[in-house]
Amino acid sequence: MRVNINGETKELWTLWREGVDVKMIDQRLLPHKFEILTLHSYSETAEAIRDMAVRGAGAIGVAAGYGIAQATLEAKGMKLEDFQAFVSEATNTLRKTRPTAVNLFHAIDRCIKAASMGTVTERVVSACAEADRIALDDLEASKKMGEYGNALIGDRYRILTHCNAGALAFIDNGSALAPIRVAHRSGKSIFVYADETRPRSQGAKLTAWELKQEGVPYALIVDNAAGHYMRRGEIDLVIVGADRIAANGDTANKIGTYEKAVLARENDIPFYVAAPRMTFDNKCPTGKDIEIEERSPDEVNWVWGVDEDGVYMRVRISAEATTTLNPGFDVTPAKYITGFITDVGVLKPPYSRSIREALHIEKSNGN
Ligand code: RUB
């Protein structure tokens, strides 16, 4: 992604690996501060995932893979038995960071498999190579989703998106934002409605920032405004990302996605989910099998931002001791989804079949 920081243009991924260190844009501080975090150990990386310095299914997956690579590097001087115990401890820690985005579990499984054969040195080399490959796979998937999704976007389209499924969430052009970037770069005149996405406000803080960086015309809207614009005929297409897609197409994504899908159906607006094969989970037959992360009441009761003098601060917006519920995700039933924009094309219903076929392509490729 290209970012302009204090007048200087930089090309960088949302996160990357430098030997044992993992570097990432600290997404908790955007758009007010741009800082790169350096994480020296798998436990620091696990904490960054847990605390959402890195977030978005794709980026979480890459971070978890890097975490395993870090663990193998941290343990490279140990005897095989101790090495295995150390890596297994790291696996347990990383698996417990966030429950919903399946990319995290797929990435860990891939790196653990890579680290399961040979001498300690060979295991370290293969785990690191596999972690790096996951990032490169996402890069490739992002390009493909951009191309396939762009074909669904007409000139003068007005597109709604929810949460942040951009380059911050998925190397390197995003998932849901990839088709939008490609459409804009190809000269189509498009306009994006970015949902604010309470409680963490990923739309306000991250999507709006990314669209501004890219020069895509957009407006930030509060979450409750989407139906208003849909009903007025001002939205032609909805594209969102996904954290986990069940075998029947039911899709977990940021809380509020389900409402947008139902509203889109009511208003005859196509509703697409952009996600690579890494986000599909055949082990979940339906959306009922997807674990939904319950997050801290603090996210509902407090908001972060800057005051008029640019001082970064947290303010409370509800009364002391307010009771809250804070599910991080919801599940959109497959029947509301017009299609999945994946790295192997646009999948259409019936999803049980099209998803099975798409995942089979992966198997026959030997990936
Ligand atoms: C992020 C979120 C994103 C998906 C898609 O939730 O719901 O829409 O993860 O991401 P959170 P990607 O901010 O809680 O992680 O583009 O990486 O597939």
Side-chain angles (χ1 to χ4, degrees), residues 36-318:
I36 305 289
L37 278 177
T38 301
L39 309 162
H40 304 290
S41 63
Y42 84 80
S43 46
E44 287 182 16
T45 300
E47 187 49 35
I49 299 172
R50 198 177 298 110
D51 201 39
M52 290 176 66
V54 61
R55 31 81 33 221
I60 290 173
V62 172
Y66 285 162
I68 297 292
Q70 280 179 303
T72 64
L73 286 163
E74 287 174 65
K76 70 179 180 195
M78 296 179 187
K79 286 198 213 110
L80 184 57
E81 207 177 303
D82 297 335
F83 173 88
Q84 282 174 311
F86 188 85
V87 173
S88 160
E89 177 65 36
T91 305
N92 291 338
T93 305
L94 286 159
R95 287 180 83 88
K96 284 191 203 129
T97 49
R98 294 196 69 192
T100 305
V102 74
N103 305 53
L104 178 139
F105 302 95
H106 285 163
I108 292 173
D109 291 347
R110 278 177 62 170
C111 293
I112 288 302
K113 192 168 167 215
S116 66
M117 302 268 279
T119 62
V120 165
T121 309
E122 284 163 347
R123 287 169 194 236
V124 174
V125 170
S126 353
C128 291
E130 191 62 17
D132 295 343
R133 201 168 300 126
I134 292 167
L136 291 172
D137 285 353
D138 276 9
L139 178 73
E140 197 50 35
S142 180
K143 276 193 202 145
K144 293 286 180 200
M145 288 186 284
E147 286 161 21
Y148 291 125
N150 176 36
L152 304 168
I153 300 177
D155 193 26
R156 309 184 71 77
Y157 262 33
R158 294 148 306 174
I159 306 159
L160 178 88
T161 191
H162 189 68
C163 193
N164 173 263
L168 291 163
F170 195 95
I171 296 170
D172 187 36
N173 273 328
S175 54
L177 287 198
I180 290 171
R181 281 178 203 272
V182 175
H184 174 69
R185 287 175 193 168
S186 72
K188 287 178 194 167
S189 160
I190 55 166
F191 186 86
V192 177
Y193 289 86
D195 286 342
E196 174 190 27
T197 322
R198 277 281 288 148
R200 292 285 290 232
S201 306
Q202 291 93 328
K205 293 182 173 180
L206 308 176
T207 302
W209 179 80
E210 279 196 38
L211 293 170
K212 197 168 167 210
Q213 294 276 334
E214 183 80 27
V216 179
Y218 73 95
L220 174 66
I221 58 171
V222 296
D223 292 321
N224 324 347
H228 168 76
Y229 288 110
M230 287 193 198
R231 188 153 168 70
R232 281 176 29 158
E234 293 182 32
I235 292 173
D236 302 297
L237 177 67
V238 182
I239 312 180
V240 298
D243 288 89
R244 192 185 292 234
I245 301 163
N248 71 344
D250 291 351
T251 296
N253 190 49
K254 181 52 56 194
I255 191 76
T257 303
Y258 167 55
E259 288 180 1
K260 307 302 176 254
V262 176
L263 281 165
R265 171 60 52 84
E266 168 69 16
N267 291 284
D268 288 326
I269 299 166
F271 182 95
Y272 281 92
V273 173
R277 285 169 294 170
M278 275 278 270
T279 308
F280 287 80
D281 185 4
N282 250 353
K283 290 193 196 113
C284 285
T286 74
K288 288 200 183 98
D289 305 294
I290 301 176
E291 186 181 340
I292 300 296
E293 179 178 14
E294 187 64 32
R295 296 193 53 89
S296 161
D298 283 359
E299 294 182 348
V300 180
N301 289 320
W302 298 80
V303 289
W304 283 95
V306 288
D307 71 5
E308 284 176 355
D309 299 319
V311 178
Y312 192 56
M313 62 168 69
R314 195 172 84 128
V315 294
R316 188 168 183 115
I317 54 171
S318 58

